Amino acid sequence: VRTLLAVTVPRDYSFSQAAWSPDGKWFVVQDSAARLLLVTTGAHPRTRLLVDGATSPAVTAASFTTH
């Protein structure tokens, strides 16, 4: 088991609607603060804010492509 994302947040914070990239190198997750986050899964995982104010269900509506 490996931790890819660790946060210190209020008690009511949560993640929902996660989706993996086809190659497994990153995933996208929506949080309860209406943000869409991209998390890489390499040796040094990084989190990047993609959208602030995402509408639900943002992740299931996304299409994933790799180059």
Side-chain angles (χ1 to χ4, degrees):
V1 175
R2 193 170 137 219
T3 301
L4 297 174
L5 178 63
V7 293
T8 302
V9 296
R11 185 177 288 266
D12 60 347
Y13 183 85
S14 64
F15 294 112
S16 64
Q17 302 181 18
W20 284 92
S21 68
D23 62 4
K25 293 183 179 179
W26 51 268
F27 66 93
V28 175
V29 64
Q30 187 169 354
D31 69 6
S32 58
R35 296 179 297 193
L36 199 56
L37 307 170
L38 182 137
V39 182
T40 63
T41 61
H44 303 285
R46 304 221 183 241
T47 303
R48 188 172 143 203
L49 176 65
L50 294 179
V51 177
D52 193 3
T55 58
S56 187
V59 172
T60 56
S63 62
F64 303 112
T65 59
T66 57
H67 300 278

